[in-house]
Amino acid sequence: MADSSSDPGPKVSSPAANALIYVTLIAFLALGMFAGWRSHRNAGLFLKAIKSQSVVSLSLNFLAVNIGSGIFFSLPEVGTIAGITGVFAYAFAAGAPLFLFAIVGPMFRKHNSKQWSMTAFVRERYGRPLHKLYGIICTLFVGMYMVSELTTIYGVFQLLTPLHPLAPMIIICVITTIYTAFGGVFASLMTDAIQCVLIFVLIIIAVITVGVSVRPSKEDIERAGLVKPTKMGGELFVILTLAIAFSDMYHQGFWQRTFASRNDHDLRWATFFGFWLVFVVTALVGMAGPLAAWAGTWSPDSDVPGSSAFFTIIASMPGWVSGLTLVLTTSLSCCAIDTCQTAMFASLYDLVEQKVSIWVVRIVVILLNIPVIFLAMRAPDILQVYLLADLLASATILPVLIGLIKRFNFVHWTDALVGCFGGIIAVGAFGQAYLGNRHDGWRLLLLDGGLYVNDERVLGAFCFAPLGSVVFTFFFSGLRMAISRALGCRQYWYVNTIPLAENDEEEQEEKASQSKPPLKVVPNQESNAAPTNNNEQFGQTNGNVMDKLTAFSRRFIFSN
């Protein structure tokens, strides 16, 4: 949790703080209920909102799902440690993974044009065992995101107001729960888009105010440093890009927005614009760290932690800037919490394979807010929570995504499961080899040294985690196939049997353009043979010739 003991800035008075917080929340509640009026009776919009968002709305939503009030702590802290290089590394790493969704999203749609979540794909491709594991990890991931976000807003309320943070923190959860339970995913998408417009305007106002009021001299900038490229800043480009990219794959909020795009063209443009929105916002906020050092409001020798550098600048501003910051952080928290709640709902609803009443899942999500709030009040370090989640994602996501590639249809769910554990083992093995002893090596899995260390242990962990998962997946797959062949068992090969939606013109056109002319055995126009499944994306086995001959002979006999 942010350290508020240093009390870096003047606080907004209790009446003003209550007015700003609760008026903002009431406005967002009204906005959410209005947006949910269209979707609360439409199961498709409530659960999925597939193909419902334009480029502009989706770009703003990609910004919303990428940021939260935590950016006012984590980004300036990077700036105080790794300088400008670290700020731009973080800004790039936060936005670059969006391009991955522009690549992977269309692949999911080719697999199933009605796809609406990653967990649904895992169930279709790998079956129930891996689907259950992935669903549990997704739920835990979203829970950790909520803990970190509530931890941040708890710290912000402590820094800026004399209020006890628990009450407004609970009210935020209640407000977002009401309108997401009423309007579902569609309400979250619409409110996030409007909230992000407001947030962007507020950030621009804050930047202009800070730029006019804080003008460090050239000598101050040279004395504080943080301008020249650093080794740590370069490493952060790799570490943060890998960490954030892989962890985003487990965040259902990103998948909901990916599948909400009207088509693949809109998705590509939305990720492009979303990247620049995320880059600009995070870079502007992150520069508060170096700026605080140059202006003298923060220094490495002070008792104020680097994570509070942003608030030391706010302390030197007029009182209304603190109020503006309070509205801004409340808005960011609403964006982040409602996204996490809808993502948690989707993960749980998929986890039970949509066989339980929606209201039961809603109640479970509401009840899960209780332990999340409890943990948020006791979370020791926001960045540490993110790091643990990111390392787990780096070690486990690639074996799942391998299932999208046609040539790897031989990968079984057991191969992917072994690969997930293999990624974790690879981190421990690297740590033991790099640090020279077993105890410290395997403790690298906990990243208890944090992100900012003087060696390459963290860089190695985030590089070896995905590499080890892939190596273990294919090694076990080869071993399994060799044993099956020795025992005379039939080899596993995944075949996609999900037909394309008849009303999906884009998918049908692509299917027609890729399909080859059929082989005409006899000119029979009244064939009653059942149509074959579309396997263009995932393909049929090339090795089982007898199966192909058998299928051909059946079609030939029944068509005559």
Side-chain angles (χ1 to χ4, degrees):
M1 187 175 295
D3 183 7
S4 60
S5 60
S6 54
D7 200 11
K11 296 182 177 181
V12 181
S13 65
S14 294
N18 280 317
L20 291 172
I21 293 172
Y22 294 118
V23 168
T24 302
L25 292 177
I26 291 172
F28 288 153
L29 174 62
L31 177 63
M33 298 300 286
F34 178 78
W37 187 258
R38 177 182 171 187
S39 59
H40 79 288
R41 294 183 179 178
N42 186 323
L45 288 177
F46 183 91
L47 294 173
K48 310 174 184 179
I50 294 178
K51 299 183 179 181
S52 64
Q53 301 299 304
S54 64
V55 173
V56 175
S57 175
L58 202 59
S59 302
L60 293 170
N61 268 278
F62 278 131
L63 172 63
V65 76
N66 261 292
I67 61 175
S69 57
I71 63 175
F72 295 114
F73 287 102
S74 58
L75 284 167
E77 183 180 21
V78 173
T80 60
I81 296 173
I84 293 178
T85 309
V87 172
F88 283 98
Y90 205 133
F92 173 82
L98 292 179
F99 294 120
L100 189 59
F101 288 93
I103 298 172
V104 179
M107 296 174 68
F108 278 111
R109 279 180 168 164
K110 288 180 182 178
H111 170 67
N112 183 358
S113 59
K114 296 181 179 180
Q115 193 68 264
W116 70 289
S117 71
M118 180 72 165
T119 47
F121 161 76
V122 174
R123 184 176 69 252
E124 295 164 358
R125 172 62 178 85
Y126 290 110
R128 290 181 175 177
L130 200 63
H131 163 251
K132 299 296 184 185
L133 176 63
Y134 181 84
I136 293 172
I137 294 177
C138 281
T139 305
L140 292 175
F141 254 78
V142 175
M144 284 190 284
Y145 274 103
M146 288 185 67
V147 168
S148 61
E149 182 60 34
L150 291 176
T151 299
T152 303
I153 198 64
Y154 191 96
V156 171
F157 290 155
Q158 278 187 325
L159 287 169
L160 296 181
T161 75
L163 304 175
H164 192 287
L166 181 60
M169 186 171 68
I170 293 175
I171 296 299
I172 288 177
C173 292
V174 172
I175 293 294
T176 54
T177 299
I178 290 174
Y179 70 74
T180 53
F182 178 71
V185 176
F186 185 78
S188 176
L189 293 172
M190 298 305 295
T191 53
D192 281 359
I194 298 173
Q195 286 167 348
C196 275
V197 173
L198 173 63
I199 289 167
F200 200 76
V201 172
L202 294 178
I203 288 178
I204 296 299
I205 294 174
V207 168
I208 294 174
T209 304
V210 171
V212 171
S213 303
V214 181
R215 296 183 178 181
S217 64
K218 184 177 180 181
E219 291 75 15
D220 293 333
I221 294 176
E222 292 177 352
R223 183 187 70 254
L226 303 177
V227 177
K228 296 180 180 180
T230 61
K231 176 185 176 183
M232 181 173 292
E235 291 179 354
L236 288 178
F237 268 102
V238 180
I239 295 173
L240 292 176
T241 301
L242 291 175
I244 296 175
F246 290 135
S247 64
D248 286 352
M249 297 288 106
Y250 277 107
H251 196 318
Q252 288 283 22
F254 284 93
W255 292 115
Q256 288 170 342
R257 282 145 183 80
T258 298
F259 299 131
S261 61
R262 291 177 178 174
N263 50 56
D264 295 341
H265 178 267
D266 284 2
L267 176 61
R268 286 188 285 269
W269 278 109
T271 55
F272 175 78
F273 292 126
F275 166 80
W276 286 109
L277 287 173
V278 172
F279 184 87
V280 169
V281 169
T282 51
L284 288 175
V285 175
M287 284 302 298
L291 186 60
W294 298 336
T297 61
W298 175 89
S299 69
D301 300 328
S302 67
D303 295 332
V304 180
S307 58
S308 297
F310 173 83
F311 296 97
T312 64
I313 296 179
I314 297 301
S316 63
M317 299 287 102
W320 65 267
V321 179
S322 296
L324 179 67
T325 304
L326 192 59
V327 173
L328 181 58
T329 52
T330 304
S331 303
L332 285 168
S333 286
C334 281
C335 279
I337 296 300
D338 71 22
T339 299
C340 288
Q341 287 175 337
T342 55
M344 184 178 289
F345 176 87
S347 298
L348 291 174
Y349 195 53
D350 263 345
L351 189 60
V352 297
E353 301 181 20
Q354 305 176 29
K355 296 179 180 179
V356 177
S357 170
I358 291 177
W359 279 103
V360 174
V361 182
R362 285 176 178 173
I363 294 172
V364 172
V365 172
I366 293 172
L367 294 176
L368 286 176
N369 280 271
I370 298 174
V372 165
I373 293 173
F374 179 81
L375 291 173
M377 295 174 61
R378 290 161 175 77
D381 188 351
I382 301 167
L383 187 59
Q384 190 70 15
V385 175
Y386 279 124
L387 279 177
L388 291 176
D390 293 345
L391 185 61
L392 177 63
S394 300
T396 57
I397 191 61
L398 284 185
V400 176
L401 293 180
I402 283 174
L404 280 171
I405 303 175
K406 178 180 178 180
R407 66 181 62 184
F408 298 143
N409 281 0
F410 59 83
V411 175
H412 191 256
W413 71 265
T414 54
D415 308 333
L417 184 61
V418 170
C420 292
F421 286 105
I424 298 173
I425 294 173
V427 175
F430 161 77
Q432 183 173 345
Y434 183 79
L435 298 175
N437 65 85
R438 183 182 302 173
H439 179 266
D440 293 338
W442 288 90
R443 280 188 65 84
L444 184 59
L445 289 167
L446 301 177
L447 294 174
D448 52 1
L451 178 61
Y452 310 111
V453 293
N454 296 323
D455 53 27
E456 287 75 30
R457 68 180 71 182
V458 179
L459 176 64
F462 278 98
C463 289
F464 273 87
L467 179 63
S469 67
V470 173
V471 171
F472 271 81
T473 298
F474 287 118
F475 174 79
F476 187 80
S477 180
L479 180 63
R480 176 185 54 78
M481 289 191 294
I483 295 175
S484 298
R485 189 176 293 109
L487 296 177
C489 300
R490 184 176 179 180
Q491 296 293 340
Y492 170 81
W493 188 271
Y494 173 75
V495 178
N496 179 24
T497 58
I498 302 173
L500 290 173
E502 295 181 359
N503 58 350
D504 197 327
E505 297 179 359
E506 180 181 340
E507 306 271 351
Q508 294 288 349
E509 290 176 1
E510 183 174 358
K511 175 185 175 183
S513 64
Q514 292 181 355
S515 61
K516 297 179 180 180
L519 178 64
K520 294 183 179 180
V521 181
V522 290
N524 188 350
Q525 301 293 331
E526 299 179 357
S527 172
N528 294 322
T532 59
N533 292 323
N534 170 48
N535 296 299
E536 188 63 27
Q537 173 64 17
F538 280 83
Q540 296 278 8
T541 176
N542 294 323
N544 200 334
V545 179
M546 291 303 298
D547 283 353
K548 287 187 175 182
L549 292 175
T550 301
F552 175 79
S553 61
R554 287 176 179 174
R555 289 196 299 270
F556 181 82
I557 293 171
F558 288 121
S559 62
N560 290 276

